[in-house]
């Protein structure tokens, strides 16, 4: 866990790889729960037997948006900002789902700080986040994520 103690320290990290999260397993149950919550019930995610037979991936895969939705948890796992009352997601500039995440895979996030801008009562950060899949040479997802700290 990387602790960042103040805004000056955060600004000094611009242009650097700041932190890497722990690995998190993407289980079939997590995929099923996400499918139920979002209504995205496509068979490549939830029908294990059919996806083993018919999918080019050889089995069920996580939704791209499930992988992306892990971003806040992965970032909180890797970075703590000790002088912050709260943080909020502000949006995304770019997102690419580069390779699939098969059920049972483990993923982690690497955070590279692109910029820090002063805003009223806080700061806005732009991060390049690469979500890696264990054992794969390609990332699962690359996103430019914007967050604010107050």
């Amino acid at each position: 866990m990387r602790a960042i103690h103040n805004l000056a320290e955060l600004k000094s990290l611009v242009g650097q790889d700041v932190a890497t999260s722990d690995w998190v397993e993407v289980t079939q149950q997590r995929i099923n729960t996400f499918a139920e919550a979002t209504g995205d019930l496509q068979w490549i995610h939830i029908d294990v037997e059919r996806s083993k037979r018919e999918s080019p991936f050889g089995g069920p895969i996580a939704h791209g948006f499930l992988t992306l939705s892990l971003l806040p948890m992965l970032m909180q796992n890797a970075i703590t900002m000790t002088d912050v009352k709260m943080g909020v997601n502000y949006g995304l500039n770019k997102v690419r789902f580069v390779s699939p995440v098969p059920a049972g895979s483990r993923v982690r996030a690497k955070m590279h700080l692109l910029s820090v801008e002063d805003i009223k009562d806080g700061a806005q950060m732009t991060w390049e986040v690469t979500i890696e899949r264990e054992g794969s040479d390609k990332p699962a997802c690359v996103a430019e994520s914007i967050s604010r700290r107050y």
Side-chain angles (χ1 to χ4, degrees):
M1 168 83 61
R2 173 80 179 256
I4 300 171
H5 302 289
N6 55 53
L7 188 55
E9 181 181 353
L10 178 66
K11 287 180 176 181
S12 76
L13 298 172
V14 170
Q16 297 180 41
D17 293 334
V18 175
T20 301
S21 74
D22 293 335
W23 292 102
V24 172
E25 185 176 3
V26 181
T27 64
Q28 185 62 52
Q29 181 58 49
R30 184 181 293 237
I31 293 169
N32 293 346
T33 301
F34 186 85
E36 290 173 22
T38 63
D40 184 349
L41 303 173
Q42 187 179 32
W43 64 269
I44 64 170
H45 305 302
I46 61 171
D47 189 330
V48 174
E49 293 309 313
R50 183 177 178 190
S51 62
K52 284 180 180 178
R53 284 190 320 270
E54 299 178 31
S55 167
F57 308 113
I61 60 169
H63 307 70
F65 285 113
L66 167 55
T67 303
L68 184 63
S69 75
L70 297 173
L71 192 56
M73 177 191 63
L74 293 170
M75 289 185 79
Q76 288 175 7
N77 171 270
I79 299 170
T80 184
M81 295 187 193
T82 59
D83 70 334
V84 175
K85 292 180 185 175
M86 69 173 192
V88 295
N89 293 316
Y90 191 68
L92 301 159
N93 286 335
K94 302 175 190 174
V95 178
R96 295 291 179 266
F97 302 112
V98 181
S99 66
V101 176
S105 295
R106 294 190 337 150
V107 297
R108 70 177 179 187
K110 288 191 171 186
M111 280 75 64
H112 180 90
L113 185 58
L114 296 175
S115 67
V116 177
E117 301 170 44
D118 293 325
I119 59 171
K120 184 179 187 239
D121 298 323
Q124 179 171 295
M125 301 156 290
T126 303
W127 299 90
E128 180 182 75
V129 183
T130 302
I131 299 178
E132 302 176 320
R133 181 171 56 91
E134 190 174 40
S136 176
D137 57 348
K138 288 176 133 182
C141 178
V142 178
E144 194 170 290
S145 176
I146 305 167
S147 56
R148 289 186 167 182
R149 51 171 267 160
Y150 297 95

